[in-house]
Amino acid sequence: MSDPSIFVMHIAFRIGVYGIAALSLNIEYGYTGLSNFGKAAFLMMGAYTAAIAVENGLHPVIAIVLSIVVAGFIGLSASLFALKFREDYLAITMLAFAEISRLILRNFDDSVRALTKLITGVEGYTNIFGGVHGKVVRSFVSIPGDYRLYNIVQLTLVYGLLASSYVFVRLLSDSPYGRVLRAIREDELASQTLGKKTWVYKMQIIGLGSALAGLAGALNAQFEGYISPESFQPHLTFAIWMMVILGGVGNNLGVLLGATLVESIEAIALFVKSFFGYLPFDPVNIQWIFVGASIIAIIAFKPRGLLEERPIKTPAVEVARIGYTKG
Amino acid sequence: MAILKVKRLSKSFGGLKAVDSIDLDVEEETITGLIGPNGSGKTTLFNMISGVIPRDSGEIWFRGERIDGLKPFEIYARGIVRSFQIPRLFWKLTVLDNMLLAARGFNGESLVGAIFKRGGWILEEKRLVDKALDILDLLGLSDSAFKPTYQLSGGQMKLLEMGRALMADPKLLLLDEPTAGVNPKLAYSIFGKIEEVRRAYGTTFFVIEHRVETLFSYANWVYVMSNGSLIYGGKPSGVISDSRVQKAYLGDIHAA
């Protein structure tokens, strides 16, 4: 990379994408207390949906909408069985769900080919997901020749969608709906005795969270230009969790800060690796030591994250609060 | 008229009969007490009425409608709201938020309503905030309205649980030890508030209580449970002289 601005833009893009993913985990875990450890699967579904959509000549806008809808719908279906479990079991179930989905994607084409041969005797040909070889993804943006302009358009796209996601999540969390989400997190049984159909809320949140994750997955896939099942292993989920825990569970700006931190640490590691040539260690491995150490430091000194959760702000409550502090 | 009728209601946990074929009525607009030694099945009875645990057999009727087998939110919808022995508040939320959460049929609490019908719920919430602040005022909690709930004292937590229940305009309020862990003077004032609310809103109270002397100065009717069975139902004045109640609380004095 001769132009350092391309490197910076790349990092900025990733911060935008993982900001959306971190917001999606924040509405699930931060507000509703749902430990979704299957986050990577929903990024994967968004990514593959977008890849297949543009491959078949669909407009990028339709590809984005499709990845949101598909990931959201699968999230909603997964929640049908996953939400029957208690918190810790939910985490394990979603983790297993993500791994199963990833392995199905990886082996789907081979299995279909083998089955076709077994039944019809003819060597079939399917190549929907690309198996272990992965899939080349055409970019949503096409500006031949001008790489800087291309990156600026990509950044505008991702930050526009990040801003919309942020506004959406804020409207949701600073509303009576968001208040019910937090009540479910604090005490689900008590919420039920106050008439809340808690599972409806939990399903909606897993659905919305998965849809947002699908959006993040789609954006990332078309920017990177290549996806494979190996890019969606559990450590992707853990990275998103780290962003949320570092930045501040239940604080939307906090989780964006968390995404920025985790991605910046990764950027520094890559920078050190590519600019210093031979080193006796691999900086990419060192980055996880940095991230791990900061998690320990945060949990020891600021257990609620860098930015703490604030009280719910709705217009009527704010008016009453101002009246109260004046009186 | 009886607002709540319990007929031959039973619940076992393994081999233990926690509630053993109980029949009782709670009359409308009364304060009805439920006392009994620890482990006699009082809270289990409340858990079944509020739908928190399923019954084994028997029937529960509320205002002429059978409610056993309904889910907690369906029972809430019919007008029964409960408090818990150990307060189950939403600890990280403010006192006012706890109150608002109990409001009935609030449109802002639906996903579509919250985002797309903001104008609607903002006005609705203004009215609910006023109502909540009035109730907090009645309970002497208005100074704490914007505090996180975990900062309240034990007695205030009890009061807030009652206030939260009142926010839902209940027809029947099940209170599980509203004065546990509260000093005797505050205990009297909590019951004073209960009586005030009963007069103001016509709410029926069914109250588990260990502070017998406080309860008896306010209750119209008292039931006594022991080992899962009902051993007394009548005026508070008759409880002390009832031989079965004496035996349940003090043991068999003649056996010694």
Side-chain angles (χ1 to χ4, degrees):
Chain A
M1 276 185 232
S2 52
D3 186 351
S5 76
I6 289 173
F7 181 70
V8 172
M9 280 179 176
H10 192 97
I11 299 306
F13 188 88
R14 288 178 61 90
I15 290 172
V17 161
Y18 288 107
I20 296 176
L23 283 175
S24 83
L25 182 60
N26 196 36
I27 58 172
E28 292 169 348
Y29 177 67
Y31 291 118
T32 325
L34 298 169
S35 307
N36 184 351
F37 270 91
K39 213 72 240 184
F42 301 103
L43 277 103
M44 177 180 76
M45 285 155 191
Y48 274 88
T49 307
I52 294 168
V54 289
E55 191 178 46
N56 289 295
L58 291 176
H59 192 273
V61 174
I62 296 171
I64 290 176
V65 173
L66 272 178
S67 17
I68 293 173
V69 170
V70 169
F73 180 75
I74 295 175
L76 208 61
S77 327
S79 74
L80 277 179
F81 68 87
L83 289 179
K84 290 199 171 123
F85 302 111
R86 247 178 35 214
E87 190 181 2
D88 33 2
Y89 294 107
L90 174 71
I92 295 292
T93 310
M94 293 307 274
L95 185 63
F97 171 78
E99 279 296 274
I100 291 167
S101 324
R102 184 172 69 81
L103 293 173
I104 288 178
L105 268 191
R106 192 168 74 175
N107 296 305
F108 184 83
D109 295 324
D110 283 346
S111 313
V112 170
R113 270 197 291 270
L115 269 177
T116 320
K117 196 177 178 193
L118 197 71
I119 296 165
T120 64
V122 185
E123 183 86 37
Y125 182 76
T126 49
N127 197 12
I128 304 173
F129 301 112
V132 282
H133 307 297
K135 214 169 167 59
V136 171
V137 191
R138 220 175 58 223
S139 169
F140 287 165
V141 183
S142 160
I143 303 167
D146 193 341
Y147 209 72
R148 281 201 165 190
L149 182 64
Y150 169 83
N151 273 330
I152 288 167
V153 174
Q154 282 281 14
L155 281 180
T156 315
L157 177 71
V158 73
Y159 279 90
L161 288 168
L162 174 67
S164 322
S165 309
Y166 178 78
V167 170
F168 175 77
V169 169
R170 269 296 293 275
L171 284 178
L172 212 61
S173 56
D174 276 334
S175 76
Y177 182 85
R179 192 182 285 128
V180 178
L181 296 184
R182 283 178 244 217
I184 293 169
R185 179 189 70 193
E186 301 287 305
D187 192 330
E188 189 173 354
L189 179 65
S191 315
Q192 285 174 358
T193 63
L194 295 176
K196 312 298 178 224
K197 296 175 189 169
T198 55
W199 66 94
V200 173
Y201 287 89
K202 294 198 311 190
M203 276 180 63
Q204 287 172 342
I205 285 303
I206 292 280
L208 285 174
S210 305
L212 273 181
L215 171 64
L219 289 173
N220 200 43
Q222 58 84 36
F223 185 73
E224 301 283 349
Y226 168 75
I227 48 173
S228 89
E230 308 317 306
S231 343
F232 301 98
Q233 287 183 19
H235 64 70
L236 175 62
T237 301
F238 301 148
I240 299 168
W241 270 86
M242 285 175 197
M243 294 167 189
V244 170
I245 292 169
L246 265 179
V249 176
N251 187 312
N252 293 318
L253 274 181
V255 302
L256 294 185
L257 180 65
T260 313
L261 276 178
V262 171
E263 282 304 317
S264 305
I265 292 174
E266 183 166 339
I268 292 166
L270 283 174
F271 179 80
V272 170
K273 185 173 178 157
S274 43
F275 281 79
F276 286 90
Y278 175 77
L279 288 171
F281 54 86
D282 185 348
V284 175
N285 294 334
I286 299 285
Q287 73 165 295
W288 293 111
I289 297 177
F290 271 119
V291 173
S294 28
I295 290 276
I296 292 169
I298 285 288
I299 286 168
F301 300 110
K302 257 181 118 26
R304 288 163 169 207
L306 290 173
L307 299 179
E308 289 181 15
E309 184 178 353
R310 357 164 246 93
I312 303 155
K313 273 189 187 162
T314 58
V317 170
E318 280 311 285
V319 168
R321 191 197 306 274
I322 291 161
Y324 169 81
T325 43
K326 273 185 188 162
Chain B
M1 209 195 84
I3 190 169
L4 179 78
K5 276 178 179 294
V6 170
K7 292 180 184 168
R8 298 180 305 283
L9 193 67
S10 296
K11 177 79 191 176
S12 300
F13 297 110
L16 176 78
K17 283 212 153 181
V19 171
D20 189 2
S21 191
I22 280 199
D23 283 279
L24 61 78
D25 288 357
V26 174
E27 295 294 318
E28 202 157 359
E29 285 187 43
T30 58
I31 296 175
T32 300
L34 177 61
I35 66 170
N38 290 329
S40 57
K42 307 181 296 293
T43 299
T44 306
L45 178 65
F46 268 30
N47 282 342
M48 285 190 280
I49 297 172
S50 58
V52 170
I53 60 169
R55 79 206 186 290
D56 287 347
S57 62
E59 296 170 10
I60 305 167
W61 293 77
F62 180 65
R63 304 174 89 208
E65 186 192 1
R66 210 172 148 176
I67 59 159
D68 47 89
L70 296 184
K71 296 256 168 10
F73 74 92
E74 293 169 316
I75 289 168
Y76 162 94
R78 281 161 179 73
I80 300 181
V81 182
R82 72 169 292 177
S83 75
F84 292 88
Q85 193 170 359
I86 298 159
R88 295 188 77 139
L89 297 162
F90 306 117
W91 302 109
K92 277 195 194 164
L93 306 190
T94 65
V95 169
L96 181 60
D97 282 331
N98 268 271
M99 294 290 288
L100 293 173
L101 276 161
R104 210 168 266 279
F106 186 9
N107 290 322
E109 288 183 353
S110 80
L111 178 56
V112 178
I115 293 190
F116 299 108
K117 295 177 192 154
R118 287 179 63 82
W121 64 254
I122 287 171
L123 285 176
E124 203 180 351
E125 198 179 54
K126 277 210 173 75
R127 189 178 54 76
L128 291 174
V129 166
D130 290 342
K131 181 178 169 186
L133 291 175
D134 282 349
I135 295 173
L136 289 176
D137 208 28
L138 174 79
L139 299 175
L141 285 172
S142 43
D143 283 348
S144 308
F146 296 96
K147 274 190 195 165
T149 306
Y150 62 81
Q151 288 180 4
L152 296 183
S153 72
Q156 288 176 320
M157 287 172 188
K158 286 281 179 191
L159 283 171
L160 175 57
E161 250 208 339
M162 190 163 86
R164 192 174 68 175
L166 286 175
M167 193 67 192
D169 304 318
K171 304 266 187 320
L172 171 65
L173 232 168
L174 306 173
L175 298 178
D176 197 345
E177 292 198 46
T179 70
V182 165
N183 71 57
K185 195 166 163 243
L186 185 56
Y188 268 97
S189 96
I190 288 177
F191 268 95
K193 306 280 190 210
I194 292 175
E195 177 61 20
E196 239 174 89
V197 170
R198 187 188 69 84
R199 287 217 190 114
Y201 303 110
T203 315
T204 310
F205 285 89
F206 192 18
V207 188
I208 295 177
E209 193 48 73
H210 280 301
R211 268 178 210 278
V212 174
E213 76 292 352
T214 321
L215 176 72
F216 286 4
S217 6
Y218 290 93
N220 311 82
W221 198 260
V222 172
Y223 289 106
V224 184
M225 277 181 79
S226 173
N227 290 327
S229 307
L230 203 62
I231 55 168
Y232 178 87
K235 295 253 177 236
S237 49
V239 177
I240 307 289
S241 53
D242 188 274
S243 61
R244 280 178 305 171
V245 177
Q246 286 174 357
K247 204 172 145 187
Y249 272 92
L250 304 171
D252 200 338
I253 38 176
H254 303 296

